[in-house]
């Protein structure tokens, strides 16, 4: 985590709630990014539906790809590019937070178990966790290696 900006440490302006002052742009870009990410996830689920009791491949791939992208993104904005202060909330929290869906992952597991497919539910539970963590680590590691090769 980064340290709070010095502006947030100043005394509150009279008549304005101190928590809301300066947060409107962040809330707005997170909401906008979340709408973009959630729409992309929804479109993927329509394009690649899963049958009841079947492995939810669309949600699995969404979460793994989203984790890989966050691995690349975090390295790029911390090691390569001095991004605008709203880029991380927009893309990292908003777009990727809306695109990935660990709540749907939990619901899918529950549905699989409740519908008599506990083995598929357990496989999905373990595979998603392992693949998502591996994806973010591999993507971040690969991005760092590529960036090191580009340096003179």
């Amino acid at each position: 985590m980064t340290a709070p900006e010095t502006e947030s440490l100043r005394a509150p302006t009279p008549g304005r709630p101190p928590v809301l002052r300066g947060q409107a742009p962040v809330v707005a870009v997170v909401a906008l990014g979340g709408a973009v990410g959630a729409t992309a996830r929804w479109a993927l689920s329509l394009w690649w539906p899963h049958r009841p009791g079947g492995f939810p491949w669309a949600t699995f791939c969404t979460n793994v790809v989203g984790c890989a992208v966050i691995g690349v993104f975090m390295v790029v904005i911390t090691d390569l590019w001095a991004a605008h202060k709203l880029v991380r909330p927009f893309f990292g929290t908003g777009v990727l937070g809306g695109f990935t869906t660990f709540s749907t992952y939990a619901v899918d597991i529950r549905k699989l178990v409740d519908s008599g497919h506990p083995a598929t539910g357990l496989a999905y539970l373990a595979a998603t966790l392992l693949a998502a963590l591996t994806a973010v680590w591999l993507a971040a590691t690969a991005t760092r290696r590529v960036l090191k090769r580009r340096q003179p």
Side-chain angles (χ1 to χ4, degrees), residues 18-95:
V19 175
L20 298 178
R21 188 175 44 96
Q23 295 302 314
V26 175
V27 171
V29 298
V30 168
L32 179 63
V36 169
T39 301
R41 174 175 37 91
W42 174 73
L44 182 61
S45 71
L46 291 178
W47 179 73
W48 193 2
H50 72 277
R51 61 178 174 74
F55 195 90
W57 286 106
T59 304
F60 176 81
C61 291
T62 296
N63 287 333
V64 173
V65 168
C67 286
V69 173
I70 197 77
V72 172
F73 176 67
M74 291 308 293
V75 170
V76 168
I77 67 168
T78 57
D79 296 357
L80 178 67
W81 179 41
H84 185 277
K85 69 179 185 173
L86 295 177
V87 170
R88 187 184 304 197
F90 170 75
F91 190 73
T93 304
V95 174

